[in-house]
Amino acid sequence: MPAPLPLAGLGRHLLRSVLRVSLPIQDLPALLPGADASMSDAALRRLAESTAAAGGEGAAAVQARLDALHAGALARFAPAADAAALEALWRTALRGELPLEGAYWALLVHPQADRTLRHVAFGDVEMLRPADAAPASLGALLERRSISPRRLDAPGPGAQDIELMVQAALSAPDHGRLHPWRVIEFRTPQREALAALFEAEKRRRDPLASAADLRRARAHATEAPCLLGFVVSPRARKRVPLREQWLAAGAALGNLLNAAHQLGYGGIVLSGERCFDDALARQLGLQPGEHLAGFVSLGTAREPAPPTARALPQEVWRCWTPDTAAAPVPRGPALPAARALDGEGLP
């Protein structure tokens, strides 16, 4: 069997995570050259990360301490012959049947762990420990996930909660304060009429649709305790390009969903081909130039959403550096000052 991965071989994001999760802060001063009692916890963590990343004796000491602390987990994971066996053990740890701190270390350094499995474990740990990684005020935001209408039960948000959600949407960045969007609420007495419209749209799109397909189309209008339509309504403004208005609408929709989550509701936005049907748009009262972005299903989640792998910040976050080999940009007339997307900075 290949040797376990050395600590220094982990990427910096995995290093930072496993040192925080699997190595107690009180162990660090005795392990790190240059550490002293006056250092803050954050400074100790940074020193541990740089020491481990550098390799050498310092990294070996840190790895030896991790091995000693989690010898049981290492022994439990050692016989795993492939990534599937490792993942099964990891799921056991997530269910609370193994200490998560040790399982995390054992998985990350196991020779059969591939990049995908390490990143899945990283995502699971970071989502399970939001309070350690971020201020408490961000905890709920980091936990938000989309939940299928089939997993939503009553009660859904009433008028007071919907008003709060719309207020949150209105606080999103909005160049020019145009509010280029609006919300349609489909209340319970009107759901059957909406279901008939959804069925008619399905028949237009697929004249050979089966009875089961038509039932599913109708269910999209009736199964969620609360259903909203989100409409993008761009305005004709020279100083506010359409792309900025779409960004503002998307920010408002995100705020609305986050507010629903903060209020204790699960939700999801579903679009699909029906959102491009002109006849349905007219029947819902959309005006020329408006766009039906999607339908927001809201309710009380029947059970917690299952864990899901999320993209890592490093996949979408890069630091820009100038290309010194690029040709110099010719000087020209001064460009107008950049305009803030958030309308609060406008005159």
Side-chain angles (χ1 to χ4, degrees):
M1 175 181 291
L5 185 73
L7 180 62
L10 298 174
R12 289 300 285 257
H13 64 289
L14 292 177
L15 262 183
R16 184 179 304 116
S17 178
V18 76
L19 291 174
R20 177 178 59 81
V21 171
S22 302
L23 188 59
I25 189 72
Q26 60 267 25
D27 287 11
L28 293 182
L31 295 171
L32 303 176
D36 61 66
S38 66
M39 294 179 71
S40 67
D41 287 358
L44 280 171
R45 294 290 188 203
R46 288 194 296 270
L47 180 57
E49 181 186 339
S50 60
T51 300
E57 293 183 4
V62 173
Q63 182 150 358
R65 181 56 181 158
L66 283 162
D67 288 345
L69 283 170
H70 306 300
L74 289 166
R76 181 75 179 271
F77 275 66
D82 53 32
L86 278 177
E87 184 172 9
L89 284 167
W90 177 244
R91 296 301 162 200
T92 300
L94 288 177
R95 292 194 298 269
E97 299 172 30
L98 289 172
L100 191 68
E101 296 84 352
Y104 191 38
W105 170 243
L107 184 144
L108 290 183
V109 296
H110 196 286
Q112 298 300 328
D114 56 21
R115 181 179 185 274
T116 298
L117 184 54
R118 288 192 181 100
H119 284 182
V120 167
F122 172 84
D124 289 338
V125 164
E126 294 304 313
M127 285 188 291
L128 285 169
R129 292 174 167 259
D132 292 345
S137 58
L138 282 180
L141 184 61
L142 295 175
E143 293 169 1
R144 201 211 72 81
R145 303 181 197 174
S146 295
I147 299 178
S148 165
R150 295 188 297 274
R151 298 175 180 268
L152 297 176
D153 289 335
Q160 185 174 2
D161 285 340
I162 293 174
E163 182 177 354
L164 288 172
M165 290 155 52
V166 173
Q167 286 180 14
L170 287 168
S171 72
D174 185 356
H175 184 186
R177 301 187 184 93
L178 296 181
H179 312 311
W181 54 272
R182 60 189 181 90
V183 172
I184 305 171
E185 181 186 359
F186 302 100
R187 294 189 170 176
T188 302
Q190 284 72 49
R191 292 292 194 89
E192 283 301 320
L194 181 64
L197 295 183
F198 280 12
E199 178 180 343
E201 183 278 329
K202 180 65 175 177
R203 290 181 184 276
R204 285 193 295 275
R205 182 161 34 98
D206 183 5
L208 301 179
S210 67
D213 289 337
L214 296 176
R215 282 196 301 272
R216 280 192 290 271
R218 295 184 67 92
H220 290 161
T222 58
E223 61 188 350
C226 175
L227 188 67
L228 308 174
F230 192 85
V231 179
V232 179
S233 306
R235 322 289 189 198
R237 298 289 190 277
K238 285 185 178 180
R239 295 186 61 195
V240 188
L242 286 179
R243 67 178 185 178
E244 293 187 6
Q245 297 189 43
W246 276 92
L247 285 170
L253 180 56
N255 269 21
L256 187 146
L257 286 169
N258 289 328
H261 180 69
Q262 293 274 14
L263 291 168
Y265 300 107
I268 192 171
V269 181
L270 297 173
S271 54
E273 295 182 71
R274 68 169 56 94
C275 290
F276 299 91
D277 185 84
D278 291 338
L280 177 62
R282 288 194 299 271
Q283 290 162 331
L284 297 183
L286 270 70
Q287 300 301 310
E290 291 190 318
H291 308 272
L292 183 58
F295 294 90
V296 184
S297 296
L298 298 165
T300 301
R302 188 176 305 126
E303 57 190 18
T308 183
R310 292 190 175 182
L312 299 173
Q314 289 78 6
E315 296 181 44
V316 295
W317 172 18
R318 292 290 184 273
C319 295
W320 178 81
T321 54
D323 183 0
T324 56
V329 178
R331 293 184 177 274
L335 296 175
R339 300 190 298 271
L341 182 61
D342 194 326
E344 294 182 6
L346 297 175

